[in-house]
Amino acid sequence: MATIREVAVELAKNRVGLAVLTARDNPKKPVAVVSERDVLRAVAQRLDLDGPASSIANPPITVLDTDPVRVAAEKMRRHNIRHVVVVDRNGDLVGVLSIRDLCFERAILIELAAAEAPATP
Ligand code: AMP
């Protein structure tokens, strides 16, 4: 089981904001997530950083790899999160989509703008 410190090291090493914890017997099954904010809170609360990362983790909020990106954007807004975990229809991990990805992909911005646009009379 990963410790909080190990998750922090992975986040820093990979320059990402979210770590996905997977099942011990199946590395494709996401079971929880830890974001840099969770690690920051753990430091602020002086938690034992060698304690289990699961103590600061949350159950994953996911989208399907076939969902349009606006579904991901809606989930980020509704849950006030900056990442969604992408899974396939078997629930296997495909990757993580961050709010950064939404901001810097021109095609995604165009799709989001179209989805938000008010209907014309
Ligand atoms: P973030 O803004 O994404 O750094 O995360 C803020 C809070 O939301 C942290 O407590 C994260 O653990 C949680 N969080 C972020 N993304 C997800 C996700 N996809 N599923 C569940 N919780 C998440």
Side-chain angles (χ1 to χ4, degrees):
M1 182 190 296
T3 65
I4 298 172
R5 192 184 307 281
E6 285 166 343
V7 169
V9 167
E10 284 303 309
L11 292 175
K13 198 165 67 185
N14 296 299
R15 297 169 179 252
V16 293
L18 193 84
V20 181
L21 307 184
T22 55
R24 180 184 293 277
D25 58 348
N26 185 351
K28 288 182 177 171
K29 286 288 172 219
V31 292
V33 297
V34 176
S35 99
E36 56 196 345
R37 291 199 187 182
D38 300 316
V39 174
L40 191 64
R41 197 175 308 119
V43 170
Q45 293 175 345
R46 297 173 183 267
L47 297 188
D48 176 9
L49 300 185
D50 294 312
S54 56
S55 66
I56 61 165
N58 287 303
I61 294 168
T62 60
V63 294
L64 283 172
D65 55 356
T66 49
D67 280 338
V69 283
R70 74 180 143 70
V71 172
E74 279 162 13
K75 287 201 174 178
M76 287 182 194
R77 183 165 47 196
R78 189 170 349 124
H79 297 283
N80 195 23
I81 55 180
R82 295 176 296 175
H83 306 83
V84 287
V85 177
V86 183
V87 294
D88 66 17
R89 63 197 169 118
N90 301 316
D92 287 349
L93 182 63
V94 173
V96 171
L97 192 65
S98 84
I99 205 162
R100 269 178 90 84
D101 300 321
L102 300 187
C103 289
F104 294 122
E105 253 326 303
R106 190 174 137 77
I108 290 177
L109 287 174
I110 289 169
E111 184 190 323
L112 290 178
E116 305 269 317
T120 46

